[in-house]
Amino acid sequence: MGYHSMALLSLSTRPTDWLIYLIALPLLGCLVHYVVGLFLFHRSKASGGGLRTPPLVPSLLPIWGNFSLGMIFNPREWALTSSSLFGNSVPVRVRFLAIDVYIFQGVKNMHAFLRQKDLSSFNLHAFLLNRAFGLPATAFKMYVKDDSGAYPKPYPESKVEPRNRIEFQLERSLHHFLMGPGLSPLTRRFQTAIAQHFHTLPIGGDWVAWDNFVTFYEQELTAPFLNSLCGEELLRAHPDFLTNLWAFENNIWWMILGPPRCLAPRAYHARDGALRALKDWHLWARDNFDPTAVDADGDDPVWGSKFFRERKEIFDAIDGFDLDAIATHDLAFIWGTTNNSIITSFWTAVETYKDSNLLAQVREESRACLIINSEAGSSGPPQFNMEKLLQQPVLQAIYAETLRLRISGYLVRHHTRGDVEIEGWRIPKNQLSLTSPMHAHMDPEIWGHKEHPVDEFWPGRFLRPASNGSGAAWEFTTEIAQGAWMPYGGGYHACPGRHFAKMMIIFSTALITTMYDCEILAHPKDMAMSMRTFGFGTSGPKGKVPVRIRRRTNW
């Protein structure tokens, strides 16, 4: 015990005072440590010249930010108010359980971060597959061994055989399907499936109460999407797959934390049920596939899109991969393509239905894109000129504003091949680095408006009076964003499904508002964003969103 501590204790000998001092002295030591760290933090931020290491954020700084939230931890609010973590114009690092995490914020740094091809999320995907999705140990070991990279030419030091290049093969497969020749046929199948599905819903001209609009989207939008992906057999043989998929989604953090089954029975039951359904579907597809049924796009009615058929061939050739490993990857892919796009579609519909003026504009834009079928009239589902629909300014603005306001995610990267230099900052190898669009999306200096604060839904942020002579009142623009609107990340590792997601969100909004009236009956507190899936993209609502809905007879 030091000299100053002895002097303090000599002032009193009452037991209660001794207890106070024993509590206060460690806190005093932490405070001194914090003050010194704060001084070094700001000093290192101001230093210049040469390749620098991002300054270490003092450990007490984020903790004090938590207390300011009234002892109720909301990770989104914490991220937005912890200015020394996410509000910096220079990169910083924070120490968590002896691990340094490097945080890049500010538009310039974020874009430089996202342009780094050597940064990868491959190792993190392996971790998530193992912890959350149940990837078998033998397959996980193959992930650990793959040091060949995501590019056609493997890294020189890698000895991985071509068939075991998991990162490269999965990246190529995803881009081929979601950005290459696989996108157009998938889009056509989805548009046909969802239009027919919405047309046949058991909803007539009288108001029908729906307990939760979220479950409406989880069931009635996800079903045609899955049928477009992998044919109709999966849901026909396993109608509980959708329920298990969304139960798993709502318990994703439980699965990552890895509690015993007795503490998270619902989460494990949902995951096990979803994986069992996918394995059964694989066995059925293997036994029933007919090569003569493959169409000009390479798709067939058994596997649905050729994506799954080709991925199975990839996985069958990788050492240590069995049917359990394949089902794990399929569940991860289906989860990744549905969780954000479906919930974003829900929010765009809710915000449109809540505002009668906005609803009228959406219906006007949608009507302008209708393809009139003189034979079917209004007896069949509406058909749209999709190229024209996706260019409608108000629909695009609703889509963009929903993503700006509702994204609650991080872009986490890792690298193993030497240090990385980003805008004059050095990131040592084998370290985690991350960025998030949340802070940029909620920056009042970029998005602020005297009548519409940043936390308010207002599509007008992305609209300006039309100047192109098209006759439209508005045109869509992202110029106000100054590069700060980046819901899908950017650079080489930008989300490959962003084009399909935009189509799904805009098309589903145009379709449902054209076909149905809907009244949102939820209490405002239930419409607040849930933090159940914070960190993984678009946040859903905190509570149930009851609605009443009816079919429109005239479009």
Side-chain angles (χ1 to χ4, degrees):
M1 187 175 290
Y3 169 80
H4 296 290
S5 301
M6 289 292 292
L8 285 170
L9 289 176
S10 68
L11 296 177
S12 173
T13 57
R14 289 179 298 177
T16 55
D17 289 338
W18 280 68
L19 181 61
I20 292 173
Y21 294 138
L22 288 174
I23 296 174
L25 285 174
L27 291 177
L28 180 62
C30 288
L31 180 61
V32 172
H33 174 77
Y34 166 74
V35 171
V36 173
L38 186 64
F39 169 76
L40 294 175
F41 173 65
H42 287 289
R43 181 183 178 186
S44 60
K45 285 176 63 177
S47 63
L51 203 60
R52 294 173 291 169
T53 299
L56 180 66
V57 175
S59 58
L60 281 185
L61 205 57
I63 296 175
W64 284 7
N66 294 349
F67 286 126
S68 69
L69 298 176
M71 302 298 292
I72 301 176
F73 185 66
N74 180 315
R76 178 181 169 87
E77 291 299 320
W78 172 74
L80 292 175
T81 56
S82 298
S83 58
S84 290
L85 288 180
F86 295 98
N88 280 287
S89 60
V90 299
V92 299
R93 57 191 168 101
V94 60
R95 189 156 293 158
F96 178 73
L97 299 178
I99 299 173
D100 280 358
V101 179
Y102 293 76
I103 302 174
F104 283 77
Q105 291 299 128
V107 173
K108 179 182 177 182
N109 291 321
M110 292 173 70
H111 282 278
F113 173 87
L114 294 170
R115 286 195 301 268
Q116 293 293 319
K117 295 182 69 174
D118 287 335
L119 295 179
S120 171
S121 57
F122 179 66
N123 290 337
L124 300 171
H125 288 167
F127 170 80
L128 288 175
L129 283 167
N130 179 251
R131 294 297 295 269
F133 294 89
L135 182 69
T138 52
F140 179 72
K141 289 179 181 178
M142 298 307 298
Y143 267 86
V144 175
K145 292 179 180 179
D146 183 11
D147 59 354
S148 63
Y151 312 110
K153 185 177 181 179
Y155 293 132
E157 68 273 16
S158 176
K159 304 299 182 183
V160 175
E161 295 185 48
R163 71 174 188 277
N164 290 328
R165 295 193 61 203
I166 302 173
E167 183 176 13
F168 165 66
Q169 296 203 75
L170 292 187
E171 287 273 359
R172 182 178 60 176
S173 176
L174 283 174
H175 282 77
H176 186 85
F177 183 48
L178 295 174
M179 300 183 70
L183 178 60
S184 292
L186 173 64
T187 298
R188 290 194 299 269
R189 288 197 306 273
F190 171 73
Q191 290 166 2
T192 301
I194 183 183
Q196 186 62 34
H197 188 75
F198 274 26
H199 177 65
T200 57
L201 288 175
I203 300 172
D206 297 326
W207 287 110
V208 175
W210 205 286
D211 181 57
N212 191 357
F213 206 32
V214 177
T215 59
F216 177 93
Y217 269 80
E218 290 175 351
Q219 298 291 323
E220 309 304 338
L221 184 55
T222 311
F225 174 56
L226 280 183
N227 289 340
S228 305
L229 276 179
C230 49
E232 298 180 356
E233 179 64 21
L234 175 61
L235 294 185
R236 183 164 49 226
H238 299 276
D240 61 345
F241 180 80
L242 290 182
T243 301
N244 287 329
L245 174 66
W246 288 104
F248 172 79
E249 150 77 356
N250 288 324
N251 289 278
I252 186 68
W253 275 111
W254 263 118
M255 303 309 297
I256 292 173
L257 294 174
R261 284 180 174 264
C262 61
L263 296 181
R266 176 172 169 78
Y268 280 102
H269 175 78
R271 187 185 73 179
D272 293 347
L275 290 173
R276 186 166 52 251
L278 288 167
K279 287 190 289 185
D280 288 348
W281 171 64
H282 263 274
L283 293 173
W284 175 86
R286 182 197 63 188
D287 295 339
N288 290 274
F289 172 63
D290 179 4
T292 64
V294 175
D295 63 20
D297 295 315
D299 303 323
D300 73 274
V302 172
W303 286 102
S305 60
K306 67 176 180 178
F307 170 76
F308 287 102
R309 192 175 73 244
E310 291 181 343
R311 282 225 312 180
K312 185 180 184 303
E313 294 175 1
I314 293 172
F315 290 142
D316 284 343
I318 298 175
D319 295 339
F321 272 58
D322 57 12
L323 187 57
D324 289 320
I326 295 173
T328 297
H329 283 82
D330 285 351
L331 178 59
F333 174 78
I334 291 171
W335 171 80
T337 52
T338 56
N339 63 336
N340 288 318
S341 55
I342 299 294
I343 294 301
T344 303
S345 299
F346 156 82
W347 281 120
T348 59
V350 166
E351 297 292 358
T352 302
Y353 277 124
K354 282 170 56 180
D355 186 329
S356 59
N357 291 327
L358 194 59
L359 177 61
Q361 292 180 74
V362 166
R363 283 176 171 166
E364 181 181 353
E365 288 189 345
S366 302
R367 192 179 304 112
C369 301
L370 279 173
I371 298 174
I372 304 300
N373 187 327
S374 58
E375 296 181 1
S378 60
S379 61
Q383 300 178 47
F384 295 95
N385 178 330
M386 287 304 301
E387 183 177 356
K388 184 177 180 181
L389 184 70
L390 294 176
Q391 297 301 315
Q392 294 303 302
V394 175
L395 277 164
Q396 288 192 87
I398 294 171
Y399 156 80
E401 176 69 348
T402 299
L403 289 173
R404 182 198 69 82
L405 187 63
R406 305 291 183 184
I407 287 289
S408 295
Y410 295 97
L411 302 169
V412 186
R413 301 289 186 261
H414 181 258
H415 62 286
T416 59
R417 302 185 68 252
D419 297 351
V420 172
E421 177 185 350
I422 304 177
E423 291 292 310
W425 299 91
R426 183 180 67 88
I427 311 300
K429 69 176 183 178
N430 292 320
Q431 300 295 313
L432 290 177
S433 52
L434 63 84
T435 188
S436 172
M438 283 186 295
H439 206 279
H441 284 185
M442 300 299 289
D443 188 342
E445 293 187 5
I446 298 174
W447 306 101
H449 187 280
K450 61 181 179 181
E451 297 179 3
H452 302 282
V454 293
D455 58 354
E456 175 190 331
F457 178 84
W458 182 52
R461 297 180 214 280
F462 293 91
L463 294 171
R464 66 185 176 192
S467 59
N468 53 18
S470 64
W474 303 99
E475 62 184 25
F476 174 75
T477 178
T478 59
E479 287 184 3
I480 187 178
Q482 303 172 20
W485 186 77
M486 51 185 79
Y488 299 106
Y492 181 83
H493 298 289
C495 175
R498 59 191 182 275
H499 304 300
F500 184 86
K502 180 180 179 180
M503 181 280 302
M504 175 192 282
I505 295 162
I506 290 179
F507 179 54
S508 64
T509 303
L511 189 66
I512 194 170
T513 54
T514 295
M515 299 180 68
Y516 295 99
D517 291 321
C518 183
E519 292 185 0
I520 310 297
L521 306 176
H523 191 281
K525 67 178 180 63
D526 292 324
M527 298 290 287
M529 284 187 285
S530 168
M531 294 295 105
R532 288 191 303 270
T533 58
F534 174 81
F536 289 99
T538 307
S539 297
K542 189 175 183 180
K544 290 185 177 181
V545 182
V547 300
R548 64 175 191 159
I549 187 170
R550 69 181 179 189
R551 189 179 296 267
R552 301 176 73 219
T553 56
N554 296 312
W555 302 334

